[in-house]
Amino acid sequence: IKLKKEEKAFAYFDAALALKPGFADVYLARGNARMDKGEKEKACADFSKAVELGNIQAQGFKQKNCN
């Protein structure tokens, strides 16, 4: 059941970004989900993108998890 919820969450993240590629909050949320899943490299890429798009909160996640 958890896997199905995870898959749905990532599908929603991807759909949201397809509709609005500059939605920094979605990159941050997907980065957190990826970090929880153990996908550090992908999570850090999402945090970096969120920072690039102006999400200040993502900078803290990036500094904490990606150095």
Coordinates of all heavy atoms in Angstrom, one line a residue:
I1 N 0.8 -1.2 0.0 CA 0.0 0.0 0.0 C 0.9 1.3 0.0 O 0.6 2.2 -0.7 CB -1.0 0.0 1.2 CG1 -2.0 -1.1 1.0 CG2 -1.7 1.3 1.3 CD1 -2.9 -1.3 2.2
K2 N 2.0 1.3 0.8 CA 2.8 2.4 0.9 C 3.4 2.7 -0.5 O 3.5 3.9 -0.9 CB 3.9 2.2 1.9 CG 4.8 3.4 2.0 CD 5.9 3.2 3.0 CE 6.8 4.5 3.1 NZ 8.0 4.3 3.8
L3 N 3.8 1.7 -1.2 CA 4.4 1.9 -2.5 C 3.4 2.5 -3.5 O 3.8 3.5 -4.2 CB 4.9 0.5 -3.1 CG 5.6 0.6 -4.5 CD1 6.8 1.5 -4.3 CD2 6.0 -0.8 -4.9
K4 N 2.2 2.1 -3.5 CA 1.2 2.7 -4.3 C 1.0 4.2 -4.0 O 0.9 5.1 -4.9 CB -0.2 2.0 -4.2 CG -0.2 0.7 -4.9 CD -1.5 0.0 -4.9 CE -1.5 -1.3 -5.6 NZ -2.8 -1.9 -5.6
K5 N 1.0 4.6 -2.7 CA 0.9 6.0 -2.3 C 2.1 6.8 -2.8 O 1.9 7.9 -3.2 CB 0.7 6.1 -0.8 CG -0.7 5.7 -0.3 CD -0.8 5.9 1.2 CE -2.1 5.4 1.7 NZ -2.3 5.6 3.1
E6 N 3.2 6.2 -2.6 CA 4.5 6.8 -3.1 C 4.4 7.1 -4.6 O 4.8 8.1 -5.1 CB 5.7 5.9 -2.8 CG 6.8 6.6 -2.0 CD 7.8 5.6 -1.6 OE1 8.3 4.8 -2.5 OE2 8.2 5.6 -0.5
E7 N 4.0 6.0 -5.3 CA 3.9 6.2 -6.8 C 3.0 7.3 -7.2 O 3.2 8.1 -8.1 CB 3.5 4.8 -7.4 CG 4.6 3.8 -7.4 CD 4.1 2.4 -7.8 OE1 2.9 2.3 -8.2 OE2 4.9 1.5 -7.8
K8 N 1.8 7.3 -6.5 CA 0.8 8.4 -6.7 C 1.4 9.7 -6.5 O 1.2 10.7 -7.2 CB -0.4 8.2 -5.9 CG -1.5 7.3 -6.5 CD -2.7 7.3 -5.6 CE -3.8 6.6 -6.3 NZ -5.1 6.6 -5.5
A9 N 2.1 9.9 -5.3 CA 2.7 11.2 -5.0 C 3.6 11.6 -6.1 O 3.6 12.8 -6.5 CB 3.4 11.0 -3.6
F10 N 4.5 10.8 -6.5 CA 5.5 11.2 -7.6 C 4.8 11.5 -8.9 O 5.2 12.4 -9.6 CB 6.6 10.1 -7.7 CG 7.6 10.1 -6.7 CD1 7.6 9.2 -5.6 CD2 8.6 11.1 -6.7 CE1 8.5 9.3 -4.6 CE2 9.5 11.2 -5.7 CZ 9.5 10.3 -4.6
A11 N 3.7 10.8 -9.2 CA 2.9 11.1 -10.4 C 2.3 12.5 -10.3 O 2.3 13.2 -11.2 CB 1.8 10.0 -10.6
Y12 N 1.8 12.8 -9.1 CA 1.2 14.2 -8.9 C 2.3 15.2 -9.0 O 2.1 16.3 -9.6 CB 0.5 14.3 -7.5 CG -0.8 13.5 -7.4 CD1 -1.1 12.7 -6.4 CD2 -1.8 13.7 -8.4 CE1 -2.3 12.0 -6.3 CE2 -3.0 13.1 -8.4 CZ -3.2 12.2 -7.3 OH -4.5 11.6 -7.2
F13 N 3.5 15.0 -8.4 CA 4.6 15.9 -8.5 C 4.9 16.2 -10.0 O 5.1 17.3 -10.4 CB 5.9 15.4 -7.8 CG 5.8 15.3 -6.3 CD1 6.4 14.3 -5.6 CD2 5.1 16.3 -5.6 CE1 6.3 14.2 -4.2 CE2 5.0 16.2 -4.2 CZ 5.6 15.2 -3.5
D14 N 5.1 15.1 -10.7 CA 5.4 15.2 -12.1 C 4.4 15.9 -12.9 O 4.7 16.7 -13.8 CB 5.7 13.8 -12.7 CG 7.0 13.1 -12.1 OD1 7.8 13.9 -11.5 OD2 7.1 11.9 -12.2
A15 N 3.1 15.6 -12.6 CA 2.0 16.3 -13.4 C 2.0 17.8 -13.0 O 1.8 18.6 -14.0 CB 0.7 15.6 -13.0
A16 N 2.2 18.1 -11.8 CA 2.2 19.5 -11.4 C 3.3 20.3 -12.1 O 3.2 21.4 -12.6 CB 2.4 19.7 -9.9
L17 N 4.5 19.6 -12.2 CA 5.6 20.3 -12.9 C 5.5 20.3 -14.4 O 6.0 21.2 -15.0 CB 6.9 19.6 -12.5 CG 7.3 19.7 -11.0 CD1 8.5 18.8 -10.7 CD2 7.6 21.2 -10.8
A18 N 4.7 19.4 -14.9 CA 4.4 19.4 -16.4 C 3.5 20.6 -16.7 O 3.7 21.3 -17.7 CB 3.8 18.1 -16.8
L19 N 2.6 20.9 -15.8 CA 1.7 22.1 -16.0 C 2.4 23.4 -15.7 O 2.1 24.4 -16.3 CB 0.5 21.9 -15.1 CG -0.5 20.7 -15.5 CD1 -1.5 20.6 -14.4 CD2 -1.1 21.0 -16.8
K20 N 3.2 23.4 -14.7 CA 3.9 24.6 -14.2 C 5.3 24.3 -13.8 O 5.6 24.1 -12.7 CB 3.1 25.2 -13.0 CG 3.5 26.6 -12.6 CD 2.6 27.2 -11.6 CE 3.2 28.6 -11.2 NZ 2.4 29.1 -10.0
P21 N 6.2 24.3 -14.8 CA 7.6 23.9 -14.6 C 8.4 24.8 -13.6 O 9.3 24.4 -13.0 CB 8.3 24.0 -16.0 CG 7.1 24.0 -16.9 CD 5.9 24.6 -16.2
G22 N 7.9 26.0 -13.3 CA 8.6 26.9 -12.4 C 8.0 26.9 -11.0 O 8.3 27.8 -10.2
F23 N 7.3 25.8 -10.7 CA 6.7 25.7 -9.3 C 7.7 25.2 -8.3 O 7.8 24.0 -8.1 CB 5.5 24.8 -9.4 CG 4.5 24.9 -8.3 CD1 3.3 24.2 -8.4 CD2 4.7 25.8 -7.2 CE1 2.4 24.3 -7.3 CE2 3.7 25.8 -6.2 CZ 2.6 25.1 -6.3
A24 N 8.4 26.1 -7.7 CA 9.5 25.8 -6.8 C 9.0 24.9 -5.6 O 9.8 24.0 -5.2 CB 10.2 27.0 -6.3
D25 N 7.9 25.2 -5.1 CA 7.4 24.4 -3.9 C 7.2 22.9 -4.3 O 7.4 22.1 -3.4 CB 6.0 24.9 -3.4 CG 6.2 26.3 -2.8 OD1 7.3 26.8 -2.5 OD2 5.1 26.9 -2.6
V26 N 6.9 22.6 -5.5 CA 6.8 21.2 -5.9 C 8.2 20.5 -5.9 O 8.3 19.4 -5.5 CB 6.0 21.0 -7.2 CG1 6.0 19.6 -7.7 CG2 4.6 21.6 -7.1
Y27 N 9.2 21.3 -6.4 CA 10.5 20.7 -6.4 C 11.0 20.4 -5.0 O 11.6 19.4 -4.7 CB 11.5 21.6 -7.1 CG 11.4 21.6 -8.6 CD1 10.8 22.6 -9.3 CD2 12.0 20.5 -9.3 CE1 10.7 22.6 -10.7 CE2 11.9 20.5 -10.7 CZ 11.3 21.5 -11.4 OH 11.2 21.5 -12.7
L28 N 10.6 21.3 -4.1 CA 11.0 21.1 -2.7 C 10.3 19.9 -2.1 O 10.9 19.0 -1.5 CB 10.7 22.4 -1.8 CG 10.9 22.2 -0.3 CD1 12.3 21.9 0.0 CD2 10.5 23.5 0.4
A29 N 9.0 19.8 -2.4 CA 8.2 18.6 -1.8 C 8.7 17.3 -2.4 O 8.9 16.3 -1.7 CB 6.8 18.8 -2.2
R30 N 9.0 17.3 -3.7 CA 9.5 16.1 -4.4 C 10.9 15.8 -3.9 O 11.2 14.6 -3.6 CB 9.5 16.3 -5.9 CG 9.8 14.9 -6.6 CD 9.7 15.0 -8.1 NE 10.7 15.9 -8.7 CZ 10.9 16.1 -10.0 NH1 10.0 15.6 -10.8 NH2 11.8 16.8 -10.4
G31 N 11.7 16.8 -3.6 CA 13.0 16.5 -3.0 C 12.9 15.9 -1.7 O 13.7 15.0 -1.4
N32 N 12.0 16.4 -0.8 CA 11.8 15.8 0.5 C 11.4 14.3 0.3 O 11.8 13.4 1.1 CB 10.8 16.6 1.3 CG 11.4 17.8 1.9 OD1 12.6 17.8 2.3 ND2 10.7 18.9 1.9
A33 N 10.4 14.1 -0.6 CA 10.0 12.7 -0.8 C 11.1 11.8 -1.3 O 11.2 10.6 -0.8 CB 8.8 12.7 -1.8
R34 N 11.9 12.3 -2.2 CA 13.0 11.5 -2.7 C 14.0 11.3 -1.6 O 14.6 10.2 -1.5 CB 13.7 12.2 -3.8 CG 12.9 12.1 -5.1 CD 13.5 12.8 -6.3 NE 12.9 12.4 -7.5 CZ 13.1 13.0 -8.7 NH1 13.9 14.1 -8.8 NH2 12.5 12.5 -9.8
M35 N 14.3 12.2 -0.7 CA 15.2 12.0 0.4 C 14.7 10.9 1.3 O 15.4 10.1 1.7 CB 15.4 13.3 1.2 CG 16.5 13.3 2.1 SD 18.2 13.0 1.4 CE 18.5 14.6 0.7
D36 N 13.4 11.0 1.6 CA 12.8 9.9 2.4 C 12.9 8.5 1.8 O 13.0 7.5 2.5 CB 11.3 10.2 2.7 CG 11.0 11.4 3.6 OD1 12.0 11.8 4.3 OD2 9.9 11.9 3.6
K37 N 12.9 8.5 0.5 CA 13.0 7.3 -0.3 C 14.5 6.8 -0.4 O 14.7 5.7 -0.9 CB 12.4 7.5 -1.7 CG 12.0 6.3 -2.4 CD 11.3 6.7 -3.7 CE 11.1 5.4 -4.6 NZ 10.6 5.8 -5.9
G38 N 15.4 7.7 0.0 CA 16.8 7.3 -0.1 C 17.5 7.7 -1.4 O 18.6 7.2 -1.7
E39 N 16.8 8.5 -2.2 CA 17.3 9.0 -3.5 C 18.0 10.4 -3.3 O 17.5 11.4 -3.8 CB 16.2 9.0 -4.5 CG 15.6 7.7 -4.8 CD 14.4 7.8 -5.8 OE1 13.9 8.9 -6.1 OE2 14.0 6.7 -6.3
K40 N 19.1 10.4 -2.6 CA 19.8 11.6 -2.2 C 20.2 12.4 -3.5 O 20.0 13.7 -3.5 CB 21.0 11.3 -1.4 CG 21.7 12.6 -0.9 CD 22.9 12.2 0.0 CE 23.6 13.5 0.4 NZ 24.7 13.3 1.3
E41 N 20.8 11.8 -4.5 CA 21.2 12.6 -5.6 C 20.0 13.3 -6.3 O 20.1 14.5 -6.7 CB 21.9 11.7 -6.6 CG 22.7 12.4 -7.7 CD 23.5 11.5 -8.5 OE1 24.3 10.7 -8.0 OE2 23.4 11.6 -9.8
K42 N 18.9 12.6 -6.5 CA 17.8 13.2 -7.2 C 17.1 14.2 -6.2 O 16.7 15.3 -6.7 CB 16.7 12.1 -7.5 CG 17.2 11.2 -8.6 CD 16.1 10.2 -8.9 CE 16.4 9.3 -10.1 NZ 15.4 8.3 -10.4
A43 N 17.1 14.0 -4.9 CA 16.6 15.0 -4.0 C 17.4 16.3 -4.0 O 16.8 17.3 -4.1 CB 16.6 14.4 -2.6
C44 N 18.7 16.1 -4.1 CA 19.5 17.3 -4.1 C 19.3 18.1 -5.4 O 19.4 19.3 -5.4 CB 21.0 16.9 -3.9 SG 21.3 16.4 -2.2
A45 N 19.1 17.4 -6.5 CA 18.8 18.1 -7.8 C 17.5 18.9 -7.6 O 17.4 20.0 -8.1 CB 18.8 17.1 -8.9
D46 N 16.5 18.3 -7.0 CA 15.3 19.0 -6.8 C 15.4 20.2 -5.9 O 14.9 21.3 -6.1 CB 14.2 18.0 -6.2 CG 13.6 17.2 -7.3 OD1 13.7 17.5 -8.5 OD2 12.9 16.2 -6.9
F47 N 16.2 20.0 -4.8 CA 16.4 21.2 -3.9 C 17.1 22.3 -4.6 O 16.8 23.5 -4.5 CB 17.3 20.7 -2.7 CG 16.6 19.7 -1.7 CD1 17.4 18.8 -1.0 CD2 15.2 19.7 -1.6 CE1 16.8 17.9 -0.2 CE2 14.6 18.8 -0.7 CZ 15.4 17.9 0.0
S48 N 18.1 21.9 -5.4 CA 18.9 22.9 -6.2 C 17.9 23.7 -7.2 O 18.0 24.9 -7.3 CB 20.0 22.3 -7.0 OG 21.0 21.8 -6.1
K49 N 17.1 23.0 -7.8 CA 16.1 23.6 -8.7 C 15.2 24.5 -8.0 O 14.9 25.6 -8.4 CB 15.3 22.5 -9.5 CG 14.4 23.1 -10.6 CD 15.2 23.8 -11.7 CE 14.3 24.2 -12.8 NZ 15.0 24.8 -13.9
A50 N 14.7 24.1 -6.8 CA 13.8 24.9 -6.0 C 14.5 26.2 -5.6 O 13.9 27.3 -5.6 CB 13.3 24.2 -4.8
V51 N 15.8 26.1 -5.2 CA 16.6 27.3 -4.9 C 16.7 28.2 -6.1 O 16.5 29.4 -6.0 CB 18.0 26.9 -4.3 CG1 18.9 28.1 -4.2 CG2 17.8 26.2 -3.0
E52 N 17.0 27.6 -7.2 CA 17.2 28.4 -8.4 C 15.9 29.2 -8.8 O 16.0 30.3 -9.3 CB 17.5 27.4 -9.6 CG 17.7 28.0 -10.9 CD 17.8 27.0 -12.0 OE1 18.6 26.0 -11.8 OE2 17.2 27.1 -13.1
L53 N 14.8 28.6 -8.4 CA 13.5 29.2 -8.7 C 13.0 30.2 -7.6 O 11.9 30.7 -7.7 CB 12.4 28.1 -9.0 CG 12.6 27.3 -10.2 CD1 11.7 26.1 -10.2 CD2 12.4 28.2 -11.5
G54 N 13.9 30.3 -6.6 CA 13.6 31.3 -5.6 C 13.0 30.8 -4.3 O 12.6 31.6 -3.4
N55 N 13.0 29.5 -4.0 CA 12.4 29.0 -2.8 C 13.5 29.0 -1.7 O 14.5 28.2 -1.8 CB 11.9 27.6 -3.0 CG 11.2 27.0 -1.7 OD1 11.8 27.0 -0.7 ND2 10.0 26.6 -1.9
I56 N 13.4 29.9 -0.8 CA 14.4 30.2 0.2 C 14.5 29.0 1.2 O 15.6 28.6 1.6 CB 14.2 31.5 1.0 CG1 14.3 32.6 0.1 CG2 15.1 31.6 2.2 CD1 13.8 33.9 0.6
Q57 N 13.4 28.4 1.5 CA 13.4 27.2 2.4 C 14.2 26.1 1.9 O 14.8 25.3 2.6 CB 11.9 26.8 2.7 CG 11.8 25.7 3.7 CD 10.3 25.2 3.8 OE1 9.5 25.6 3.1 NE2 10.1 24.4 4.9
A58 N 14.2 25.9 0.6 CA 14.9 24.8 -0.1 C 16.4 24.9 0.2 O 17.1 23.9 0.2 CB 14.6 24.7 -1.6
Q59 N 16.9 26.2 0.4 CA 18.3 26.4 0.6 C 18.8 25.6 1.9 O 19.8 25.0 1.9 CB 18.6 27.9 0.7 CG 20.1 28.1 0.9 CD 21.0 27.7 -0.3 OE1 20.6 27.9 -1.4 NE2 22.1 27.1 0.0
G60 N 17.9 25.7 2.9 CA 18.2 25.0 4.2 C 18.3 23.5 4.0 O 19.2 22.8 4.5
F61 N 17.3 22.9 3.2 CA 17.3 21.5 3.0 C 18.5 21.1 2.2 O 19.2 20.1 2.4 CB 16.1 21.1 2.2 CG 14.8 21.1 3.0 CD1 14.0 22.2 3.1 CD2 14.5 20.0 3.8 CE1 12.9 22.2 3.9 CE2 13.4 19.9 4.6 CZ 12.5 21.1 4.7
K62 N 18.9 21.9 1.2 CA 20.1 21.6 0.4 C 21.4 21.7 1.2 O 22.2 20.7 1.1 CB 20.2 22.7 -0.7 CG 21.3 22.4 -1.7 CD 21.3 23.5 -2.8 CE 22.6 23.3 -3.7 NZ 22.7 24.4 -4.6
Q63 N 21.5 22.7 2.1 CA 22.7 22.8 2.9 C 22.8 21.6 3.9 O 23.9 21.1 4.2 CB 22.7 24.1 3.7 CG 23.0 25.3 2.8 CD 22.9 26.6 3.6 OE1 22.3 26.7 4.7 NE2 23.5 27.6 3.0
K64 N 21.6 21.2 4.4 CA 21.6 20.1 5.4 C 21.9 18.8 4.8 O 22.6 17.9 5.4 CB 20.2 20.1 6.1 CG 20.1 19.0 7.1 CD 18.7 19.0 7.8 CE 18.5 17.8 8.7 NZ 17.2 17.7 9.2
N65 N 21.4 18.5 3.6 CA 21.4 17.2 3.0 C 22.4 16.9 1.9 O 22.6 15.8 1.5 CB 20.0 16.8 2.6 CG 19.0 16.8 3.7 OD1 19.1 15.9 4.6 ND2 18.1 17.7 3.7
C66 N 22.9 18.0 1.3 CA 23.6 17.8 0.0 C 25.0 18.2 0.0 O 25.6 18.4 -1.0 CB 22.8 18.6 -1.1 SG 21.1 18.1 -1.2
N67 N 25.6 18.4 1.2 CA 27.1 18.7 1.2 C 27.9 17.6 1.5 O 27.6 16.5 1.7 CB 27.3 19.8 2.3 CG 26.6 21.1 1.9 OD1 26.6 21.4 0.7 ND2 26.2 21.8 2.8

